[in-house]
């Protein structure tokens, strides 16, 4: 009978023989047998196999991977409706200005070695992240332990550690405080982690993967998934189609579409409220210095059709402004100009861009309206994907308007350096968080859009604690952007997961990540 433990034992032996990382496909060829062909066969255990581009340190903060939620618990998490609900934090309250929070922990929570989770663990974790993690940096907050199950946190700058933060997980102080704190990213602990989460670490095979088992003492109840095999590797469709894995997280839309007709699998999408696919204009270029031209370009792109063209789900908002996380979740995102090519052409004419020689391309002052869109042509995170399809759509949309667009993919660091240094005419980039927004809209922007009031508002957002104030500042930025159109907002980022249909409990958009929420999922074998 096949078991995940036996599978990893054989892999470990094979890896030792070859003295290096051997691709899983090759190992399966060496091992043979029905287990490699379909790891679901021959076992009564509810087992889920996942492939992710991680390594042995993939559960550390440095990776910021959703895989950390298999082993470690956050303070809160989102339910299937997108609402925050308790995890380690059982209850909380805050001061009227949102600067100070008092948090009471779930007293049933235990580390996998049986030691209770305490407020001291939270303080240790948050102090460690502030000192070494750089998010949000030293001095941003101060944590005080009030008793074993209660702590308070006082903020000088907004940051992690309050119960609105559903991504920060807590680490065990008693196992980590005596280690070399300066080398925390290299701790062996990450290879054999002890958490308080739904799954316990069983083994790590270096270069190959992790194995976990259900935590029978999990404070929310034992998960319905018995065993998890997390394999290292770049997700490919053949891994899913062959039965080697059940789940491929963070896939491309192309992969989703390729499996659209395969009834064995289902696709799920999570809308990321803080990551926006954006077409940047270099305002130092004579092509984009005029707000009338930038508005014309916004009018000329049918962004509803763009979403369909790149395979995104219906219902995503179309907008011409930045917005807060809360505004996005409420459906209160400022709207966009309508798709109107007639108005776009009129604005270009008014701005002096006309096709005077009949070659199909507009000119002004001897210069043709011709430019290049740069985008990432490599793999990497979701944020580096999707640029080519969007750029191609824009190219085709602007051609009938008399604008000649050329496309140039760039790889990795070259792409990012060119965009951030302003050595582009136009480029597709993800705006993700305030840091990215500052280099696009801040006082030192290399793209030439410098608006003191926008900078002031971004600074106020950065230092605001009250969510209503954050929304107010974003609303004012939206009013300015409605006139300036400094960039073209294409669509909010969407993260995608493909899973075998036997894995139940997933839904779009808030329960779409199988790795993040595996504790809430279950297996139903189809007859």
């Amino acid at each position: 009978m096949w078991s995940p433990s036996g599978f990893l034992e054989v892999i470990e032996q094979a890896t030792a023989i070859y003295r290096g990382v051997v691709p899983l496909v090759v190992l399966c060829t060496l091992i043979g047998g029905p287990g490699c062909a379909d790891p679901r066969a021959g076992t009564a255990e509810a087992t889920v196999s996942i492939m992710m581009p991680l390594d042995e340190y993939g559960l550390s903060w440095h990776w910021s991977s959703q895989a950390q939620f298999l082993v470690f618990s956050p303070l809160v998490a989102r339910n299937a409706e997108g609402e925050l609900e308790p995890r380690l934090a059982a209850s909380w309250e805050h001061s009227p200005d949102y600067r100070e929070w008092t948090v009471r922990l779930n007293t049933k929570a235990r580390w996998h070695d049986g030691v209770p989770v305490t407020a001291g663990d939270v303080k240790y974790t948050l102090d460690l992240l502030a000192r070494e993690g750089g998010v949000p940096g030293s001095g941003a907050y101060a944590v005080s332990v009030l008793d074993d199950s209660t702590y308070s946190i006082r903020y000088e700058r907004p940051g992690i550690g309050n119960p609105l933060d559903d991504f920060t997980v807590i680490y065990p102080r008693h196992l980590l405080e005596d280690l070399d704190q300066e080398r925390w990213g290299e701790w062996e602990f990450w290879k054999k982690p002890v958490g308080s989460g739904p799954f316990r670490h069983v083994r790590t095979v270096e270069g190959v993967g992790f194995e976990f088992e259900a935590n029978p003492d999990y404070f929310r109840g034992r998960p319905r998934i018995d065993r998890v095999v997390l394999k290292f590797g770049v997700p490919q469709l053949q891994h899913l189609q062959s039965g080697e894995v059940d789940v491929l997280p963070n896939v491309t839309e192309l992969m989703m579409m390729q499996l659209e007709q395969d009834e064995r699998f289902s696709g799920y999408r999570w809308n990321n409220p803080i990551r926006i696919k954006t077409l940047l204009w270099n305002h130092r270029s004579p092509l984009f210095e005029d707000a009338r031209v930038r508005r014309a370009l916004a009018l000329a792109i049918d962004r509803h059709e763009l979403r369909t063209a790149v395979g995104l789900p219906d219902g995503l908002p179309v907008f011409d402004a930045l917005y807060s996380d809360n505004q996005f979740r409420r459906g209160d995102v400022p709207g966009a100009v309508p798709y109107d090519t007639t108005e776009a052409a009129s604005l270009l004419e008014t701005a002096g861009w006309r096709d005077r020689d009949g070659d199909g391309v507009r000119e002004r002052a001897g210069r043709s309206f011709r430019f290049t869109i740069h985008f990432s042509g490599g793999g990497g995170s979701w944020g580096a994907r999707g640029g080519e399809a969007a750029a191609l759509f824009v190219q085709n949309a602007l051609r009938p308007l008399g604008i000649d667009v050329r496309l140039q993919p760039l790889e990795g660091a070259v792409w990012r350096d060119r965009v951030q240094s302003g050595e582009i005419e136009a480029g597709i980039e993800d705006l993700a968080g305030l840091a990215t927004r500052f280099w696009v809209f801040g006082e030192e922007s290399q793209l030439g859009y410098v608006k003191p009031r926008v900078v002031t508002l971004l600074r106020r957002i950065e230092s605001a604690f009250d969510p209503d104030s954050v929304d107010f500042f974003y609303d004012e930025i939206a009013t300015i952007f409605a006139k300036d159109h400094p960039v073209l907002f294409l669509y909010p980022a969407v993260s995608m997961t493909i899973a075998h249909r036997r894995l139940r409990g997933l839904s779009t958009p808030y329960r779409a990540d199988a790795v993040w929420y595996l504790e809430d999922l279950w297996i139903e074998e189809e007859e």
Side-chain angles (χ1 to χ4, degrees):
M1 178 178 293
W2 180 90
S3 72
S5 298
F7 178 63
L8 281 177
E9 285 172 0
V10 178
I11 288 179
E12 188 171 15
Q13 294 169 5
T15 305
I17 293 173
Y18 279 80
R19 298 181 181 178
V21 178
V22 181
L24 285 168
V25 174
V26 176
L27 285 171
C28 282
T29 302
L30 291 171
I31 297 167
C36 249
D38 185 350
R40 293 180 291 274
T43 177
E45 287 187 315
T47 302
V48 172
S49 186
I50 303 162
M51 179 163 285
M52 298 183 69
L54 301 176
D55 64 17
E56 300 82 50
Y57 295 93
L59 300 184
S60 72
W61 172 264
H62 289 281
W63 274 92
S64 294
S65 164
Q66 65 265 48
Q68 65 182 340
F69 296 102
L70 295 172
V71 175
F72 301 106
S73 296
L75 294 166
V76 293
R78 294 195 181 274
N79 61 23
E81 287 71 46
E83 300 164 339
L84 289 173
E85 60 182 19
R87 286 297 186 269
L88 286 179
S91 63
W92 52 84
E93 58 191 33
H94 60 78
S95 60
D97 63 1
Y98 285 79
R99 292 173 66 93
E100 187 164 357
W101 295 71
T102 301
V103 183
R104 296 169 187 83
L105 302 180
N106 189 321
T107 56
K108 296 180 180 179
R110 297 287 187 274
W111 299 106
H112 295 159
D113 60 5
V115 176
V117 177
T118 70
D121 296 306
V122 177
K123 175 176 172 55
Y124 169 80
T125 300
L126 297 180
D127 288 349
L128 176 68
L129 296 178
R131 184 176 67 252
E132 304 293 342
V135 182
S138 180
Y141 51 75
V143 183
S144 300
V145 174
L146 303 182
D147 58 46
D148 280 351
S149 60
T150 313
Y151 72 93
S152 66
I153 183 166
R154 172 75 181 178
Y155 289 95
E156 297 301 322
R157 300 191 302 276
I160 60 177
N162 68 51
L164 304 183
D165 168 23
D166 63 340
F167 196 77
T168 301
V169 297
I170 303 304
Y171 304 131
R173 179 184 63 173
H174 68 288
L175 297 177
L176 302 180
E177 62 183 344
D178 293 332
L179 302 180
D180 184 349
Q181 303 298 291
E182 300 301 319
R183 302 178 65 87
W184 73 303
E186 304 171 17
W187 288 340
E188 288 295 305
F189 171 81
W190 304 121
K191 298 181 181 181
K192 301 177 181 179
V194 175
S196 60
F199 298 95
R200 300 188 303 195
H201 175 263
V202 174
R203 71 183 67 222
T204 300
V205 181
E206 294 200 16
V208 177
F210 291 112
E211 180 189 356
F212 309 100
E213 64 183 3
N215 176 13
D217 301 316
Y218 184 43
F219 61 92
R220 298 187 69 233
R222 185 188 188 280
R224 285 173 281 184
I225 304 296
D226 297 310
R227 198 163 294 272
V228 181
V229 176
L230 178 59
K231 303 176 182 180
F232 304 151
V234 178
Q236 301 292 335
L237 288 184
Q238 59 264 33
H239 298 141
L240 196 66
Q241 293 167 319
S242 68
E244 186 180 341
V245 297
D246 298 290
V247 177
L248 295 182
N250 303 326
V251 300
T252 66
E253 189 61 48
L254 177 60
M255 294 169 72
M256 292 275 277
M257 290 188 288
Q258 287 175 316
L259 283 183
E260 196 171 40
Q261 304 304 318
D262 195 325
E263 295 182 353
R264 295 175 297 169
F265 311 107
S266 296
Y268 306 91
R269 297 171 173 88
W270 173 65
N271 302 337
N272 189 333
I274 64 170
R275 186 178 290 274
I276 306 171
K277 189 71 70 178
T278 308
L279 181 52
L280 308 178
W281 311 121
N282 191 332
H283 292 232
R284 295 188 173 94
S285 166
L287 299 176
F288 308 115
E289 61 186 0
D290 190 330
R292 292 173 297 179
V293 171
R294 299 192 299 271
R295 181 179 179 85
L297 295 171
L299 288 162
I301 307 299
D302 186 344
R303 282 171 280 178
H304 287 288
E305 182 63 27
L306 169 61
R307 285 154 171 75
T308 301
V310 299
L312 296 179
D314 296 333
L316 288 177
V318 175
F319 47 88
D320 280 326
L322 299 172
Y323 48 77
S324 72
D325 180 282
N326 287 332
Q327 287 174 322
F328 184 89
R329 295 184 188 280
R330 291 197 309 265
D332 191 23
V333 175
V337 295
Y339 172 56
D340 189 335
T341 56
T342 301
E343 177 64 17
S346 177
L347 282 172
L348 290 172
E349 293 280 336
T350 302
W353 290 98
R354 300 181 179 90
D355 181 10
R356 294 176 172 84
D357 58 9
D359 66 348
V361 179
R362 294 176 183 270
E363 309 94 21
R364 189 186 70 178
R367 175 166 184 162
S368 298
F369 207 133
R370 180 176 286 115
F371 66 92
T372 300
I373 296 178
H374 293 85
F375 59 91
S376 172
S381 66
W382 192 96
R385 296 195 292 263
E388 182 176 7
L392 184 62
F393 185 92
V394 171
Q395 180 188 51
N396 291 331
L398 295 183
R399 184 180 295 117
L401 201 62
I403 298 174
D404 181 25
V405 179
R406 300 172 183 179
L407 309 182
Q408 182 177 351
L410 297 173
E411 293 297 325
V414 176
W415 162 67
R416 184 56 57 96
D417 289 345
R418 291 282 296 275
V419 172
Q420 294 190 3
S421 65
E423 297 179 12
I424 59 167
E425 294 174 295
I428 292 182
E429 172 66 296
D430 275 25
L431 297 186
L434 282 173
T436 308
R437 296 171 187 189
F438 270 114
W439 68 253
V440 174
F441 306 113
E443 57 264 75
E444 297 181 1
S445 172
Q446 298 301 307
L447 296 173
Y449 179 77
V450 179
K451 200 82 158 185
R453 183 57 182 167
V454 171
V455 175
T456 297
L457 290 167
L458 287 174
R459 293 295 181 200
R460 290 184 176 178
I461 290 168
E462 184 181 43
S463 60
F465 295 88
D466 180 354
D468 292 337
S469 296
V470 172
D471 292 350
F472 179 81
F473 297 140
Y474 272 119
D475 284 342
E476 186 173 343
I477 290 177
T479 301
I480 297 171
F481 280 13
K483 298 177 181 178
D484 291 351
H485 294 277
V487 299
L488 179 61
F489 295 99
L490 300 175
Y491 47 81
V494 176
S495 297
M496 291 161 280
T497 294
I498 303 174
H500 197 280
R501 289 183 59 184
R502 66 194 286 270
L503 185 62
R504 302 299 179 88
L506 290 168
S507 61
T508 295
Y510 294 111
R511 193 48 60 84
D513 192 314
V515 184
W516 198 326
Y517 295 106
L518 196 62
E519 65 178 275
D520 296 307
L521 308 183
W522 67 94
I523 295 290
E524 285 185 18
E525 298 290 357
E526 298 181 349
E527 297 182 0

